[in-house]
Amino acid sequence: MEINGSLKGKKLLLLGGGAQMVNVTKLAQEMGCEVHIMDYYDTLRSPAKLVADAYSDLSIFDTDAVVGYIKENGIDGVMTGFTDSYLFQYKEICEKAGLPYYGSETAFGVATDKMLFKQACRKSGVGIIPGTNAYDFETTEKFAQQNGYPLMIKPTDNSGSRGVIKCEKPEELRECYEYALSFSKSRNIIVERFMDCDSVVCSYQLAGEDAYLSAFCDRYIYTSEGNGAARTSESRYPSDYLDRFIAEEDENIRKLFREHGFRDGMVGIMGFVDEKGFYWCEMTYRPSGGHHYTFINSQSGINGLALLIEFAVTGRTDSYDPTKEDPHFKDCCGMIHISGVAEQKIAKIEGIEDVRAMPEILEVNVALREGQTIGTDGTTAQQLLSVWVKAKDWQEYKEIIRRVEKIYKVYDKDGNSLVKPGDLRD
């Protein structure tokens, strides 16, 4: 996608400077923007500050201070991404500063609260996983008695697989319930059927209130043996279920967007599929860790991340051409997360730049660096490195990933490898 020349000289404030914001910062700078980063973390947890033009250690939740910074520095637009917890604050900051923002109060609620999402799906005729919300253990226990095991229990208002746990039998139910509840600010959890079938993700680009299907992938899931928590380990595009999705669910998904205030931005919805239908479980209304826009850009020339940057500082996406959207990718594309041994501190990392230099690698995201501790097993905090690959076929794709796994090394202080065995599917 051609860089929008009107962005030259524009000032963009990014809320949060985590690892995934490094590439956002660099892209915005390539588009001509002066990039400011804001959060209260140091540069180890907020590495985008190291590549930004300026940064502030203010808390983004101090609205008046943020708005003061915006006015003092002549900021033209604000953007966030990769975390649900910033969305409502992003909206409030933009409203008080008089700057453009995508979405609405209702849309952000649907996107960040799994129970509101389920309610919106029911209203719009979108398939969901059989389940219920539970403000108390008795409701959870009743659902288990009626539906059997295994079950998935998760907080309604968290992301990154935090608090998600698989319950295998009745004697584990109380402990699983309390675990999921501890991750919910609203003290509300969802208990639902465990889906032992294929997982998929649909991705849409919104231009105003019009939605365009951009990509559809198969999602592979890693499940922790300890607590049953699950996260994405790999995604492959295009999915074998694409045409079936278009025929069965596409129109209902678009209806959901229209009925619940979705406008502009990018949306991803995760779910499952079997011979009976599609079952959707949660969504993102922001850039996600899957970086699907990287593949879309390689296939159609449309960069959804660049469109978000453009919208942030102009309130428009004049460069967007929806006629170029085509989820039927011509190449075999895949993203894989390389994960580490949980709860271990990283002493040394090797091979990142060698991986980045591989011609088949479209993008690399370094999630954890030397000195940091690997997060809980089964959560996104366990991810060390993510790579995005384009190949002519799936055999070549697998060979590329195997080369990455040989090049990239992570060690503890005693020289022990901290890289978990590969999650790559055969």
Side-chain angles (χ1 to χ4, degrees), residues 308-359:
L308 274 179
I309 294 168
E310 180 181 348
F311 181 85
V313 295
T314 69
R316 305 183 308 276
T317 51
D318 294 338
S319 64
Y320 180 52
D321 181 0
T323 64
K324 293 182 178 180
E325 296 280 18
D326 184 2
H328 297 86
F329 289 2
K330 59 182 180 292
D331 295 309
C332 294
C333 298
M335 179 277 301
I336 187 165
H337 296 304
I338 297 176
S339 301
V341 179
E343 317 297 340
Q344 299 298 306
K345 188 173 183 178
I346 299 170
K348 186 177 182 181
I349 299 177
E350 298 176 347
I352 291 175
E353 293 309 314
D354 291 332
V355 171
R356 206 186 301 273
M358 292 172 61

Side-chain angles (χ1 to χ4, degrees), residues 20 43 65 116 119 130 134 149-150 162 180 353 380:
Q20 304 212 62
T43 55
L116 292 179
Q119 293 169 356
Y149 294 82
R162 297 172 184 86
E353 293 309 314
T380 55

Side-chain angles (χ1 to χ4, degrees), residues 116-129 245 247-260 269 276-280:
L116 292 179
F117 171 74
K118 281 179 174 287
Q119 293 169 356
C121 287
R122 289 191 187 101
K123 178 182 177 182
S124 303
V126 174
I128 57 173
I129 300 172
F245 168 80
E248 296 180 16
E249 283 285 78
D250 178 52
E251 182 50 44
N252 287 335
I253 296 288
R254 295 172 193 266
K255 181 181 177 183
L256 184 152
F257 297 152
R258 292 193 301 269
E259 292 181 339
H260 295 87
I269 308 182
K276 296 179 181 178
F278 290 87
Y279 310 85
W280 305 100

Side-chain angles (χ1 to χ4, degrees), residues 345-350 370-371 409-413 418:
K345 188 173 183 178
I346 299 170
K348 186 177 182 181
I349 299 177
E350 298 176 347
E370 293 175 357
K409 305 293 183 183
V410 180
Y411 303 101
D412 65 13
K413 62 181 179 58
L418 294 181

Side-chain angles (χ1 to χ4, degrees), residues 11 45 56 92 106 128 153 193 262 277 284-285 287 289 301 315 349 371:
K11 296 183 179 182
R45 288 192 62 179
S56 168
E92 181 176 341
T106 299
I128 57 173
I153 304 177
R193 191 179 97 196
F262 287 82
T284 58
Y285 192 12
I349 299 177

Side-chain angles (χ1 to χ4, degrees), residues 218-408:
D218 292 317
R219 172 179 174 248
Y220 299 112
I221 300 172
Y222 165 80
T223 302
S224 167
E225 293 182 2
N227 60 17
R231 57 166 173 78
T232 301
S233 63
E234 184 185 1
S235 300
R236 295 187 184 182
Y237 302 74
S239 167
D240 291 337
Y241 294 103
L242 172 58
D243 291 332
R244 183 179 157 195
F245 168 80
I246 293 173
E248 296 180 16
E249 283 285 78
D250 178 52
E251 182 50 44
N252 287 335
I253 296 288
R254 295 172 193 266
K255 181 181 177 183
L256 184 152
F257 297 152
R258 292 193 301 269
E259 292 181 339
H260 295 87
F262 287 82
R263 55 173 176 77
D264 297 299
M266 60 175 69
V267 183
I269 308 182
M270 290 171 283
F272 298 86
V273 58
D274 63 16
E275 67 281 0
K276 296 179 181 178
F278 290 87
Y279 310 85
W280 305 100
C281 59
E282 60 183 291
M283 72 188 312
T284 58
Y285 192 12
R286 53 170 173 78
S288 71
H291 295 201
H292 62 279
Y293 47 80
T294 296
F295 295 129
I296 296 167
N297 190 31
S298 77
Q299 300 298 296
S300 66
I302 297 172
N303 189 328
L305 195 59
L307 292 173
L308 274 179
I309 294 168
E310 180 181 348
F311 181 85
V313 295
T314 69
R316 305 183 308 276
T317 51
D318 294 338
S319 64
Y320 180 52
D321 181 0
T323 64
K324 293 182 178 180
E325 296 280 18
D326 184 2
H328 297 86
F329 289 2
K330 59 182 180 292
D331 295 309
C332 294
C333 298
M335 179 277 301
I336 187 165
H337 296 304
I338 297 176
S339 301
V341 179
E343 317 297 340
Q344 299 298 306
K345 188 173 183 178
I346 299 170
K348 186 177 182 181
I349 299 177
E350 298 176 347
I352 291 175
E353 293 309 314
D354 291 332
V355 171
R356 206 186 301 273
M358 292 172 61
E360 305 92 346
I361 302 297
L362 297 175
E363 184 181 351
V364 172
N365 182 68
V366 181
L368 294 176
R369 289 168 167 75
E370 293 175 357
Q372 292 186 286
T373 299
I374 300 166
T376 304
D377 190 41
T379 71
T380 55
Q382 189 183 13
Q383 294 165 0
L384 298 169
L385 187 78
S386 302
V387 293
W388 285 259
V389 179
K390 182 176 74 171
K392 65 177 184 292
D393 55 40
W394 290 119
Q395 182 58 43
E396 183 184 61
Y397 167 82
K398 293 174 189 176
E399 292 170 357
I400 294 166
I401 297 299
R402 297 305 183 204
R403 293 209 307 272
V404 170
E405 291 175 333
K406 289 181 180 179
I407 294 171
Y408 177 68

